[in-house]
Amino acid sequence: MEGGKPNLALVYQAVQALYHDPDPAGKERASLWLGELQRSMFAWEISDQLLQVKQDVESCYFAAQTMKMKIQTSFYELPPETHNALRDSLLTHIQNLKDLSPIIVTQLALAIADLALQMASWKGCVHTLIEKYNDDISSMPFLIEILTVLPEEVHSRSLRIGANRRTEIIEDLAYYSNTVVSLLTTCVEKTGSNEKMLIKVFRCLGSWFNLGVLDSNFMANSQLLMVLFQILQRDETSTNLHEAASDCVCSALYAIENVDTNIALALQLFQGVLTFETAYHMAVAREDLDKVLNYCRIFTELCETFLETTVRTPGQGMGDLRMLELLLICAGHPQYEVVEISFNFWYRLGEHLYKINDANLNNIFRPYIQRLLHCLARHCQLDPDHEGIPEETDDFGEFRMRVSDLVKDVIFLVGSMECFSQLYSTLKDGNPPWEVTEAVLFIMASIAKSVDPENNPTVAEVLQQVVLLPENVHMAVRYTSIELVGEMSEVVDRNPRFLDPVLNYLMKGLREKPLASAAAKAIHNICSVCRDHMAQHFQGLLEIARSLDSFALSTEAAVGLLKGTALVLARLPLEKIAECLSDLCAVQVVALKKLLAEQSTNGKSADPTVWLDRLAVIFRHTNPIVENGQTHPCQKVIQEIWPVLSETLNAHQADNRIVERCCRCLRFAVRCVGKGSASLLQPLVTQMVSVYQVYPHSCFLYLGSILVDEYGMEEGCRQGLLDMLQALCMPTFQLLEQPNSLRNHPDTVDDLFRLATRFVQRSPVTLLGSSIIVHIIQCAVAATSLDHRDANCSVMKFIRDLVHTGVGNDHEEDFDLRKRLIGQAMEQNGQQLINQLLHSCCFCLPPYTLPDVAEVLWEIMLFNRPMFCRWLENALKGLPKQTAGGAVTVTHKQLTDFHKQVTSAEECKQVCWAIREFTRLYR
């Protein structure tokens, strides 16, 4: 903060403005100023003073929150000799402010917990806190609050206390856990009917269960368990208390997932939860949905915990199938939100049984799945007074999609064909109302793809009947029947006699606004699966494509129809493809020309993305089989279209979104004809480079990588591609050298290293012999710490592939030259690279990036093991060995063990395991 420590009056003024200034600009200024204060060293002292003065709730909340934040993120700012004073002052504040506001108490409790976790000299903090406050009933609420957040903060992402300290803390908390449970029990005995206190006690107990440190034998005999069960059995329990008790039981069930090692507690919970059935029915009778949802959560957690026991010994002991009955009772509740809670369990049960693959076991569970499917079909019914098509994007539409996914996952237990036939017979034999018919068709559509289409009279009959549905049935029934037909495209492929009636049926749908997009999607499916049969209908598809905008289609459905048309086009005789492709592209090309003409006359530019996306999908999916030596049939068409794309790109060069779509279109055009696009290479590269100098859109780098992939092996193109790389790199490096720019431009980093990697793969010597390689490697070293999934992956792949070119195959002609060039690059950058990689793993990168880092280290080690061993040893010496709170982060033995594990590894995954374990010491 400039200008030294601000006075308290100014801070009060800023806090008041933050909460009460009617002008948003004033609020924003106050927020920025206070944020700067929080980041400064003065924040410690000012927060302490604000909490002492206790002027009002807002200033105390700001101070408590600041304290918590500083302890979490800037604890290293305080010298170790001040830690005790900070602890004592926080405990004084929480005692003095305990009645001011619960959210202030929570913030201070978090500050105390985070301090305890980092402050190695504060031994046995649980014991000292309980000794200090347990006799004073008025201190009980904040003591329990501290004891609640303490276990929750052990795995906090914002505290990097490291695995050694975390293990020490967890052992310490486990040692004092019985003391905590006894304190909570005494508290319930003293304040029995105080609901707020009970809620606090259950939250605290749940927190200790979640950390997994409670002694399960001690808990099995605990009075608290009995109190929990009584509260959940009682009809008159309030909503808030019911929720807290339910959360606590769910945490307990989750904590004993390994049932065999927690038998006593498992049995108590198992028997206790089975007694809630009556209470569930009571909640249903009272229409108390909150309680119903709580019970369903508990029953689901019970089934999840005892899943393996149930599959191992169904119907015996704690594999009692009454648990599944409870879930099916919940599935019968009229509100779909209730059954939805149990979906994950049914999915896991299906997965377990699928892996075991035992017919006898499947027979035991089949009736339960049949009943579940019956309930799900009923839950999928729309309201009888619903008008129009089913909504797919509202909550109920999303629920139906999840039902569809679940049905696909468990249908093997019942048998797809059997289920399909049963569903169809309910429609054929009865005359159900429209909403039942629609729901049955919806479930049939979910499983249609898993039904064997060969010689299957039922499936053929379903298809026959569906396409004969009269036009006066409910719109939703027609909509879902169209979806079903689309899902049955395999059946159409095996029974081509259905193709004409099916297409006629779908064409009717295509002409009606509400059904058009569903019909387009179904036609796309039929085109994808029945490509050869559809060739005879290509003219019809072309007619649809020409008048695409006369149908009421969503953007996605229109693009899907064009994709289907392109897939069929690729199956036509080669001599017909060029003309047909030209016809298919003509509509979009004419539209783009019209936009360009309008822009040149009135200066206004309309958005061309719809037409660019349509061209892109046509190029992407027109992939005919072309023999060696034959001219690609699409080559001529793409050459004719290039000038329009080039002009469109120029006209919109400042607009990143449109340029991205142009590049995407060009990418698929180049991919479509491969080497056949050679005549475009020169003008395309020239235009990319010239626009990129002014507007550095990262998609040009990506398009460059496609060109290198296609032409990098061609001797005559290599120098031109290298010139392109150098021309694109200059503005890129200028952009990435700005402060924070790696973090601010991850797309540029991603695309730059995709381009560089393509060069390494296609023409490594060209790149390694150039002057630009030094700068690319330095940029890569800097970018290894970038916490962005795609960008980091591209950087690691570039380094890995680069080093690998020097490890590869001795038989290749330029291997010695490559090895020498890589050797020079590693001599200059190796130590810095290893330092940076190790630092990034420990302090910057999330765990999912570690396999990529391991591959880089593995390649460097294969390239030169002795050098690598030295570099790794030096890098390890540079890591911090202690935390700011005085805890040991890493021991000498852990350092030497890690070095040995990595350098003696015989395969890459051993390096990965070693890094995973080692970096936990810093997380």
Side-chain angles (χ1 to χ4, degrees):
M1 254 193 132
E2 289 176 27
K5 189 176 95 174
N7 66 21
L8 276 191
L10 200 56
V11 180
Y12 279 123
Q13 209 178 324
V15 172
Q16 283 305 308
L18 180 67
Y19 287 102
H20 304 296
D21 193 329
D23 173 21
K27 271 189 188 326
E28 180 63 21
R29 276 196 305 277
S31 174
L32 289 171
W33 189 83
L34 289 168
E36 203 183 323
L37 169 63
Q38 285 182 318
R39 287 187 293 278
S40 75
M41 275 293 287
F42 305 120
W44 295 102
E45 193 183 336
I46 283 177
S47 304
D48 193 48
Q49 288 173 338
L50 291 173
L51 290 166
Q52 265 170 9
V53 176
K54 202 164 110 175
Q55 183 162 326
D56 51 36
V57 171
E58 289 95 341
S59 62
C60 287
Y61 176 69
F62 168 75
Q65 191 197 27
T66 303
M67 267 300 185
K68 177 201 74 178
M69 202 179 88
K70 293 297 281 185
I71 290 171
Q72 276 182 353
T73 59
S74 312
F75 188 54
Y76 60 86
E77 291 177 353
L78 294 181
E81 60 274 14
T82 61
H83 295 174
N84 282 341
L86 174 63
R87 176 194 62 195
D88 297 343
S89 133
L90 285 172
L91 290 172
T92 305
H93 292 319
I94 199 167
Q95 185 148 27
N96 292 341
L97 297 164
K98 62 177 183 274
D99 301 322
L100 187 59
S101 155
I103 55 171
I104 293 172
V105 171
T106 300
Q107 292 297 313
L108 287 171
L110 282 164
I112 292 163
D114 291 341
L115 177 65
L117 296 176
Q118 294 181 89
M119 186 174 154
S121 58
W122 187 0
K123 306 284 183 203
C125 64
V126 171
H127 182 67
T128 51
L129 289 167
I130 291 176
E131 281 220 318
K132 189 172 168 102
Y133 299 113
N134 77 338
D135 291 337
D136 173 18
I137 199 77
S138 71
S139 300
M140 209 46 89
F142 76 75
L143 172 60
I144 291 179
E145 188 66 28
I146 298 171
L147 294 175
T148 303
V149 296
L150 186 62
E152 290 170 353
E153 290 294 286
V154 170
H155 292 290
S156 161
R157 295 244 167 136
S158 38
L159 291 180
R160 301 185 75 98
I161 54 176
N164 287 335
R165 175 67 179 152
R166 197 169 284 113
T167 306
E168 186 187 333
I169 288 158
I170 290 172
E171 285 170 3
D172 197 45
L173 294 183
Y175 183 76
Y176 290 112
S177 63
N178 291 358
T179 315
V180 173
V181 175
S182 302
L183 170 82
L184 296 177
T185 311
T186 310
C187 189
V188 170
E189 284 164 4
K190 283 183 184 168
T191 62
S193 55
N194 180 336
E195 186 180 302
K196 275 189 178 168
M197 206 61 198
L198 278 173
I199 290 172
K200 276 187 171 301
V201 165
F202 292 151
R203 265 195 61 224
C204 184
L205 184 61
S207 172
W208 285 72
F209 267 128
N210 288 337
L211 190 62
V213 290
L214 292 180
D215 175 342
S216 68
N217 289 331
F218 184 78
M219 277 314 300
N221 301 310
S222 164
Q223 196 52 43
L224 282 180
L225 219 51
M226 298 308 113
V227 175
L228 262 179
F229 292 152
Q230 283 160 11
I231 281 172
L232 289 168
Q233 286 157 354
R234 273 210 311 266
D235 178 35
E236 59 275 12
T237 301
S238 75
T239 305
N240 289 347
L241 181 56
H242 199 277
E243 184 171 8
S246 301
D247 287 345
C248 188
V249 170
C250 288
S251 297
L253 285 164
Y254 184 77
I256 57 151
E257 195 122 43
N258 192 347
V259 173
D260 299 338
T261 55
N262 296 292
I263 288 289
L265 180 56
L267 195 58
Q268 288 284 8
L269 287 166
F270 179 81
Q271 290 168 342
V273 172
L274 287 181
T275 65
F276 298 160
E277 188 181 340
T278 314
Y280 168 82
H281 288 301
M282 200 66 200
V284 173
R286 292 194 186 280
E287 295 185 4
D288 189 337
L289 186 59
D290 289 333
K291 285 188 182 176
V292 166
L293 291 168
N294 286 338
Y295 287 122
C296 189
R297 277 195 302 133
I298 294 172
F299 297 155
T300 303
E301 202 63 66
L302 179 76
C303 290
E304 295 243 21
T305 294
F306 292 99
L307 171 62
E308 292 192 12
T309 316
T310 311
V311 171
R312 200 168 55 228
T313 54
Q316 299 166 35
M318 287 189 274
D320 193 328
L321 295 172
R322 277 186 300 165
M323 291 187 287
L324 299 192
E325 290 290 347
L326 287 176
L327 278 199
L328 288 171
I329 290 170
C330 292
H333 190 278
Q335 300 275 26
Y336 70 83
E337 294 90 344
V338 180
V339 68
E340 196 171 12
I341 289 172
S342 65
F343 278 15
N344 190 54
F345 165 74
W346 294 113
Y347 166 73
R348 278 187 62 204
L349 175 66
E351 198 179 31
H352 257 67
L353 294 172
Y354 188 77
K355 278 182 187 159
I356 295 168
N357 192 15
D358 175 339
N360 294 330
L361 203 53
N362 290 355
N363 287 336
I364 293 173
F365 290 98
R366 180 172 294 123
Y368 294 96
I369 300 296
Q370 281 170 327
R371 285 162 60 194
L372 174 69
L373 291 176
H374 184 76
C375 289
L376 292 175
R378 203 178 62 251
H379 279 298
C380 283
Q381 289 172 19
L382 297 161
D383 283 337
D385 55 1
H386 177 91
E387 290 179 6
I389 64 170
E391 273 292 332
E392 290 188 354
T393 50
D394 62 1
D395 288 349
F396 185 56
E398 286 181 5
F399 166 75
R400 286 183 19 135
M401 293 320 295
R402 281 196 285 274
V403 167
S404 177
D405 291 341
L406 178 61
V407 169
K408 288 184 177 89
D409 286 327
V410 298
I411 194 65
F412 75 93
L413 284 163
V414 179
S416 306
M417 192 55 235
E418 193 182 322
C419 183
F420 199 79
S421 303
Q422 277 177 359
L423 288 165
Y424 177 53
S425 64
T426 60
L427 300 183
K428 195 168 107 177
D429 304 338
N431 184 17
W434 76 263
E435 69 275 12
V436 175
T437 302
E438 191 278 335
V440 168
L441 291 171
F442 177 77
I443 301 287
M444 286 170 77
S446 302
I447 58 176
K449 275 195 176 137
S450 59
V451 175
D452 182 8
E454 287 289 352
N455 308 323
N456 197 324
T458 308
V459 177
E461 190 185 332
V462 168
L463 201 50
Q464 236 163 346
Q465 291 304 313
V466 167
V467 299
L468 293 174
L469 272 175
E471 289 186 28
N472 62 352
V473 298
H474 193 288
M475 189 63 83
V477 174
R478 291 182 62 199
Y479 180 89
T480 304
S481 69
I482 287 172
E483 290 198 318
L484 173 58
V485 170
E487 291 295 305
M488 292 178 77
S489 42
E490 292 277 354
V491 181
V492 179
D493 193 42
R494 305 292 165 86
N495 302 276
R497 67 181 190 279
F498 289 133
L499 190 56
D500 285 1
V502 161
L503 288 176
N504 289 336
Y505 180 66
L506 295 176
M507 278 309 298
K508 274 186 208 161
L510 195 61
R511 291 191 191 97
E512 286 187 54
K513 188 176 177 182
L515 304 174
S517 291
K521 190 178 169 192
I523 293 171
H524 164 208
N525 278 357
I526 302 271
C527 289
S528 303
V529 175
C530 317
R531 288 168 76 170
D532 293 323
H533 298 308
M534 283 297 291
Q536 57 182 328
H537 291 278
F538 183 75
Q539 273 319 113
L541 289 170
L542 193 54
E543 287 308 315
I544 295 173
R546 280 186 180 139
S547 53
L548 210 50
D549 292 313
S550 66
F551 304 108
L553 296 174
S554 68
T555 313
E556 186 189 359
V559 166
L561 252 179
L562 286 174
K563 176 183 169 183
T565 309
L567 289 169
V568 176
L569 167 63
R571 285 288 204 266
L572 297 182
L574 275 190
E575 65 277 6
K576 288 193 173 173
I577 289 180
E579 186 192 344
C580 292
L581 178 64
S582 189
D583 284 350
L584 188 55
C585 294
V587 179
Q588 346 300 329
V589 175
V590 168
L592 287 172
K593 283 180 175 169
K594 190 176 164 203
L595 293 182
L596 289 165
E598 283 170 10
Q599 189 176 351
S600 63
T601 53
N602 62 20
K604 284 191 178 154
S605 59
D607 188 345
T609 51
V610 169
W611 313 107
L612 291 169
D613 287 352
R614 289 181 184 181
L615 278 176
V617 81
I618 294 168
F619 295 145
R620 184 176 191 173
H621 296 286
T622 305
N623 39 22
I625 297 156
V626 182
E627 302 294 329
N628 266 348
Q630 285 180 309
T631 305
H632 199 291
C634 305
Q635 188 174 323
K636 183 166 163 288
V637 182
I638 285 171
Q639 280 168 353
E640 287 166 4
I641 292 175
W642 156 249
V644 182
L645 293 176
S646 174
E647 274 186 71
T648 304
L649 177 54
N650 260 343
H652 298 276
Q653 56 182 278
D655 187 324
N656 182 55
R657 187 177 62 91
I658 296 175
V659 171
E660 225 168 53
R661 298 306 230 293
C662 277
C663 286
R664 187 168 171 273
C665 191
L666 287 161
R667 160 192 163 195
F668 290 124
V670 170
R671 287 291 196 209
C672 173
V673 291
K675 305 281 184 295
S677 59
S679 61
L680 303 186
L681 195 55
Q682 186 67 49
L684 175 55
V685 168
T686 307
Q687 186 172 6
M688 282 165 55
V689 167
S690 93
V691 175
Y692 193 78
Q693 306 297 322
V694 191
Y695 301 107
H697 304 299
S698 74
C699 52
F700 286 126
L701 300 171
Y702 188 89
L703 187 54
S705 74
I706 303 293
L707 296 176
V708 172
D709 196 35
E710 291 290 344
Y711 293 99
M713 308 283 274
E714 304 286 308
E715 194 56 56
C717 299
R718 285 176 171 171
Q719 187 55 46
L721 291 169
L722 182 64
D723 294 343
M724 172 193 77
L725 173 69
Q726 291 180 314
L728 292 172
C729 276
M730 288 313 153
T732 306
F733 292 150
Q734 281 170 358
L735 177 72
L736 295 179
E737 279 162 5
Q738 311 294 324
N740 280 334
S741 58
L742 289 170
R743 184 175 290 279
N744 295 339
H745 300 283
D747 294 348
T748 301
V749 175
D750 183 13
D751 293 332
L752 170 68
F753 287 102
R754 275 175 197 264
L755 170 56
T757 303
R758 288 291 191 205
F759 239 112
V760 168
Q761 292 164 345
R762 293 284 173 258
S763 183
V765 173
T766 311
L767 181 62
L768 286 163
S770 72
S771 57
I772 196 80
I773 185 66
V774 180
H775 304 287
I776 294 177
I777 291 174
Q778 285 169 349
C779 184
V781 172
T784 51
S785 61
L786 183 59
D787 173 10
H788 181 280
R789 190 183 285 265
D790 294 338
N792 193 279
C793 183
S794 287
V795 172
M796 295 301 171
K797 185 164 175 42
F798 164 71
I799 302 172
R800 190 200 80 90
D801 286 7
L802 183 74
V803 178
H804 186 71
T805 54
V807 176
N809 198 334
D810 297 22
H811 309 310
E812 293 170 16
E813 53 189 278
D814 56 2
F815 178 70
D816 291 336
L817 173 59
R818 288 200 322 245
K819 189 163 184 174
R820 196 182 80 244
L821 291 168
I822 297 286
Q824 287 169 0
M826 291 310 292
E827 264 173 48
Q828 290 168 349
N829 303 285
Q831 182 67 68
Q832 189 194 356
L833 174 61
I834 301 293
N835 290 353
Q836 185 77 2
L837 283 171
L838 199 60
H839 185 272
S840 300
C841 287
C842 292
F843 301 108
C844 311
L845 298 179
Y848 66 74
T849 58
L850 298 182
D852 294 342
V853 177
E855 286 193 0
V856 172
L857 295 177
W858 174 250
E859 288 295 338
I860 297 172
M861 187 157 69
L862 289 183
F863 180 73
N864 189 333
R865 199 174 282 257
M867 288 271 265
F868 174 78
C869 292
R870 271 208 309 285
W871 288 337
L872 182 61
E873 187 181 338
N874 293 337
L876 288 169
K877 283 177 184 163
L879 288 175
K881 314 294 185 284
Q882 246 194 0
T883 66
V888 173
T889 307
V890 59
T891 64
H892 180 69
K893 184 178 185 313
Q894 284 169 326
L895 287 170
T896 52
D897 285 353
F898 172 64
H899 188 277
K900 189 177 173 190
Q901 283 162 354
V902 173
T903 53
S904 63
E906 286 174 12
E907 49 183 346
C908 183
K909 63 180 175 196
Q910 293 171 317
V911 177
C912 187
W913 289 333
I915 296 177
R916 218 178 266 287
E917 283 307 308
F918 184 74
T919 53
R920 285 196 180 120
L921 300 171
Y922 288 90
R923 287 190 196 286

